[in-house]
Amino acid sequence: SNHSSSSSSGSSGAGASGGGANGDAPVVRPTFDEDQRSLVLQVALKCADLGHLASPREVHKVWVQHLEEEFFRQGDREKQNGLSVSPLMDRDKNGISMSQVGFFDIVALPLFQSFAHAFPESTPMLDAVKDNYAMWREEALSYSSSRSR
């Protein structure tokens, strides 16, 4: 591997690779400087950390149930130690399953949308996240309508 002080990573300054085996149009890959590369890797790692958001609904819901139980156990320990219970960690109140729409609005959707914008090949992952978001929105509407009766 050739390391130089130049920010380009080879002779193809546009970052283009040859056409596909089937005569497809060439795939243009963005080139990144060191700071951009670091940021891309951080975003990719965060997407991986939150990967269950792009899982099928049943798998995603199991992950959320496990996370919520983990949060509640921390809240139980905080109570046992005479500490105030951290937000979303009190099993006597609504946990994270009741705040998923907000989490998707503020964290998940902007994260996965940014990643898909930079890497269009990841759009199926974004679509799966949007599907889970739609599920949580439906559940929130169902919950709020059942409470208003």
Side-chain angles (χ1 to χ4, degrees):
S1 137
N2 181 9
H3 298 288
S4 69
S5 60
S6 164
S7 67
S8 81
S9 58
S11 60
S12 83
S17 64
N22 300 339
D24 298 337
V27 176
V28 177
R29 302 267 182 233
T31 56
F32 299 106
D33 66 25
E34 212 45 49
D35 289 340
Q36 291 168 325
R37 193 176 357 257
S38 177
L39 179 60
V40 165
L41 290 173
Q42 290 174 41
V43 171
L45 187 59
K46 184 50 71 177
C47 287
D49 187 36
L50 298 173
H52 70 90
L53 300 175
S55 296
R57 286 183 176 192
E58 304 77 34
V59 173
H60 169 62
K61 285 192 87 167
V62 168
W63 270 94
V64 171
Q65 290 166 355
H66 287 298
L67 289 168
E68 187 167 57
E69 181 57 30
E70 181 182 329
F71 279 28
F72 286 159
R73 286 182 184 169
Q74 178 176 329
D76 295 344
R77 274 186 254 129
E78 290 171 345
K79 282 181 188 176
Q80 290 168 354
N81 291 317
L83 302 170
S84 60
V85 179
S86 299
L88 304 174
M89 298 192 181
D90 189 340
R91 75 174 66 242
D92 298 325
K93 299 180 180 172
N94 290 334
I96 61 171
S97 61
M98 297 304 296
S99 62
Q100 286 301 293
V101 171
F103 178 75
F104 274 76
D105 284 337
I106 295 168
V107 176
L109 286 172
L111 175 70
F112 284 90
Q113 286 167 337
S114 296
F115 195 76
H117 180 75
F119 301 98
E121 300 92 346
S122 69
T123 300
M125 182 172 63
L126 173 60
D127 293 340
V129 171
K130 287 178 177 179
D131 183 60
N132 283 324
Y133 176 60
M135 174 194 64
W136 289 115
R137 287 180 56 93
E138 291 163 16
E139 287 198 15
L141 288 172
S142 157
Y143 178 77
S144 65
S145 67
S146 70
R147 298 217 4 146
S148 64
R149 290 183 191 155

